[in-house]
């Protein structure tokens, strides 16, 4: 392997001593090229580490590209910028990359009076990007074309988007045999995401300059207004530090989500918290992963099923207690399970909700009947067309309350080639459909868990809503609930009004986070696809063990990315995907 580079210290008077076994031909960068604002107590740690925040980017750095094979931005003595193969790297993992020649190294310095950064090559000239997006390193002075912003990526922790002063991004493309480097990308993507490697001894020691101190000047009251509760000294210090280091919104979201059940938030905190999601997560895409508009959950056998769980938090207030519906007394159950068989129910009403979703109300056999469903459970539907050899069976979760008398409501999306959903959408009032149940799911117990988190995509919201509704109608419940709900468009958000009503009524215990794959103009909540960093921010800590429970329901692509699929209704299968990577156990996750 090529010998790694070594660098002298940033003090001329402290020349680096040669250690035993050091290569005679090791390339060095002189202290004249080191940034002027590095702390003097940097030490002699020559190891290479990953920059994690904007203020980390200082001293000798390497721009590692996620190309195949891994490369980095380099320049020759004539100022030509080109991709250079990374040889000092373990199994192509960019977090282990180190330079093997001086042409791969740039020295980062703050541009005076700004938060921008310049990058000087080994030959003493600066990395530049002209108006055509062409990169070079031929200028000896700094102008706007030599100034860049290092923006932490919301997609992958420890990576950055390098933005020019024309608000374009450095990028690479692999159309040819070697990557092409440019600076005219108008949107962030995989090809604009770089990992910045730097020497450990050059990481800032938080010797803040005037701009950093100005960012720190925020009062505890302002922080408490944003979070929505009182902060202790450690929390206030942590938020102020995050404000200096560029991850303020993520820290605010973390404080709000993990502690919102302690005290009621201020009226303004909710909107600010949503703003924090957008900035911190870059986020959760509607699990369009080619499945929301393709195979429905109903076809996967998972689409309309229930959920359940519980936990501990704050008891309902007087206003909350008034909103709790009374339990139905001595009502007979329409569905009793066992050998009961199918019941034929009459379709009473049909309401169009959006372009592909309707609400269906079916009458129970007796006006005094309740459904008989427990939390959490679903009903099985059956339909056999005139040309069908076998009947179609699909489970659905009602959205009406279990104690409502005389009827059941379902919210069902129409999927292309979905035999049951298409049949339902073609039904007219007074027609009938066969139902059987209940189909039991997760065994519900009040206050079984202190905190639960629900991750839903599309029509996967229906079992989640059954669980949420049951929790907040029970005066004995203290469970805290957070919901991540992913959809394609704003129009696709089902039961949004019902969820907002619950959130407004129980602000201490319930928060809903919406993410759209195709958001409208002005949308201030989550955008894009789900990321591990978003889940880490919103979900409870896996170290809490049995105090928490996570529930997942959505299209097959969502299961694959988040938790892995079920093997069968009776077999949850192994936990995989992002939740496994974040440290959750199989026992902490339930898949509907």
């Amino acid at each position: 392997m090529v010998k790694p580079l070594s660098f002298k210290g940033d003090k001329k008077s402290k020349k680096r001593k040669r250690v035993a076994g050091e290569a005679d031909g090791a390339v060095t960068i002189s202290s004249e090229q080191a940034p002027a604002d590095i702390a003097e107590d940097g030490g002699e740690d020559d190891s290479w580490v990953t920059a994690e925040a904007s203020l980390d980017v200082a001293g000798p750095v390497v721009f590692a590209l996620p190309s195949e094979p891994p490369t980095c931005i380099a320049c020759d003595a004539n100022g030509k910028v080109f991709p250079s193969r990374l040889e000092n790297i373990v199994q192509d993992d960019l977090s282990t990359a180190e330079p093997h020649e001086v042409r791969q190294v740039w020295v980062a310095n703050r541009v005076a009076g700004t938060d921008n950064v310049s990058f000087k090559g080994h030959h003493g000239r600066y990395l530049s990007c002209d108006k055509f997006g062409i990169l070079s390193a031929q200028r000896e002075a700094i102008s706007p074309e030599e100034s860049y912003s290092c923006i932490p990526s919301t997609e992958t922790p420890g990576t950055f988007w390098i933005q020019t002063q024309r608000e374009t991004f450095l990028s690479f493309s692999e159309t040819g045999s070697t990557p092409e480097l440019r600076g005219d990308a108008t949107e962030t993507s995989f090809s604009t995401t770089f990992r910045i490697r730097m020497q450990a001894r050059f990481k800032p020691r938080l010797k803040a300059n005037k701009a950093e101190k100005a960012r720190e000047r925020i009062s505890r009251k302002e922080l408490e207004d944003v979070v929505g509760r009182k902060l202790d000294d450690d929390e206030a210090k942590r938020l102020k530090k995050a404000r200096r280091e560029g991850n303020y919104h993520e820290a605010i979201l973390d404080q709000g989500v993990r502690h919102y059940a302690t005290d009621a938030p201020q009226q303004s905190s909710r909107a600010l918290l949503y703003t924090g999601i957008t900035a911190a997560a870059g986020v959760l895409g509607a699990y369009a992963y080619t499945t929301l508009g393709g195979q429905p959950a109903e076809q996967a056998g998972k689409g309309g099923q229930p959920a359940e769980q519980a936990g501990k938090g704050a008891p309902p207030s007087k206003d909350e207690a008034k909103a709790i519906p009374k339990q139905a007394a001595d009502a007979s159950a329409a569905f009793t399970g066992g050998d009961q068989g199918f019941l034929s129910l009459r379709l009473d009403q049909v309401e169009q909700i959006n372009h592909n979703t309707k609400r269906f109300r079916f009458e129970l056999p007796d006006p005094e009947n309740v459904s008989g469903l427990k939390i959490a459970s679903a009903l099985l539907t059956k339909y056999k067309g005139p040309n069908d050899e076998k009947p179609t069976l699909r489970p659905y979760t009602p959205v009406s309350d279990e104690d409502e008398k005389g009827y059941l409501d379902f919210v069902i999306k129409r999927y292309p080639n979905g035999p049951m959903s298409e049949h339902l959408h073609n039904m007219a009032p007074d027609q009938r459909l066969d139902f059987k149940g209940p189909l039991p799911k997760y065994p519900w117990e009040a206050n079984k868990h202190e905190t639960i988190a629900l991750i839903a995509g599309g029509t996967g919201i229906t079992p989640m809503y059954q669980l949420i509704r049951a929790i907040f109608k029970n005066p004995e419940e203290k469970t805290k609930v957070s919901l991540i709900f992913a959809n394609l468009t704003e129009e696709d958000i089902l039961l949004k009004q019902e969820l907002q009503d619950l959130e407004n009524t129980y602000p201490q215990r319930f928060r809903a986070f919406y993410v759209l794959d195709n958001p409208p103009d002005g949308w201030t909540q989550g955008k894009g696809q789900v990321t591990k960093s978003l889940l880490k921010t919103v979900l409870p800590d896996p170290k809490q063990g049995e105090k928490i429970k996570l529930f997942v329901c959505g299209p097959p692509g969502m299961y694959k990315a988040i938790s892995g699929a079920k093997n069968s209704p009776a077999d949850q299968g192994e936990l995989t995907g992002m939740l496994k990577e974040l440290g959750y156990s199989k026992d902490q996750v339930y898949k509907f």
Side-chain angles (χ1 to χ4, degrees), residues 277-448:
I277 292 179
T278 304
V283 229
L284 180 256
Y287 277 110
Y289 292 169
T290 71
T291 54
L292 247 150
Q295 283 288 340
E298 68 155 58
Q299 291 178 332
K302 309 180 181 77
Q305 326 228 357
E308 57 144 79
Q309 92 191 42
K312 299 169 184 171
S317 66
K318 292 181 179 179
D319 290 338
E320 291 175 344
K322 292 178 181 178
I324 299 172
K326 297 180 179 179
Q327 301 288 328
D330 302 323
S332 60
F335 294 96
T336 58
D339 298 328
Q340 181 185 28
F342 283 88
L343 294 181
S344 176
L345 301 185
R346 172 185 169 272
L347 177 61
D348 181 51
Q349 300 175 23
V350 180
E351 176 189 354
Q352 189 79 40
I353 294 178
N354 62 28
H355 63 288
N356 62 0
T357 306
K358 294 180 179 180
R359 182 188 293 265
F360 300 88
R361 172 164 293 187
F362 286 89
E363 288 184 346
L364 294 175
D366 188 294
E368 292 301 311
N369 280 157
V370 295
S371 66
L373 272 67
K374 305 298 181 182
I375 307 300
S377 60
L379 290 172
L380 190 66
T381 60
K382 181 177 73 171
Y383 165 72
K384 186 175 183 297
N387 299 320
D388 295 340
E389 294 183 3
K390 297 181 179 180
T392 296
L393 303 174
R394 292 289 182 269
Y396 290 104
T397 304
V399 297
S400 50
D401 190 278
E402 289 69 38
D403 293 326
E404 290 287 357
K405 293 184 179 181
Y407 66 89
L408 289 171
D409 283 349
F410 298 87
V411 172
I412 298 173
K413 181 176 292 188
R414 182 174 193 160
Y415 292 98
N417 302 317
M420 183 60 75
S421 66
E422 287 194 344
H423 171 66
L424 278 161
H425 275 251
N426 290 329
M427 288 182 66
D430 292 330
Q431 292 184 315
R432 307 184 76 85
L433 186 66
D434 290 341
F435 292 84
K436 182 179 181 179
L439 304 179
K441 298 297 178 181
Y442 184 82
W444 172 261
E445 292 178 25
N447 298 313
K448 185 174 183 179

Side-chain angles (χ1 to χ4, degrees), residues 228-243:
R229 62 181 179 82
K230 295 291 184 182
L231 298 173
D232 59 34
D233 291 343
D234 289 340
E235 290 172 332
K237 289 178 181 178
R238 192 179 304 119
L239 290 176
K240 288 184 178 181
K241 179 181 178 181
R243 187 177 175 88

Side-chain angles (χ1 to χ4, degrees), residues 103-126:
R103 297 189 301 175
Q104 297 177 334
V105 179
W106 303 84
V107 177
N109 265 301
R110 295 286 156 183
V111 178
T114 73
D115 290 331
N116 299 327
V117 184
S118 66
F119 300 102
K120 183 186 287 188
H122 67 286
H123 58 330
R125 292 178 173 85
Y126 294 93

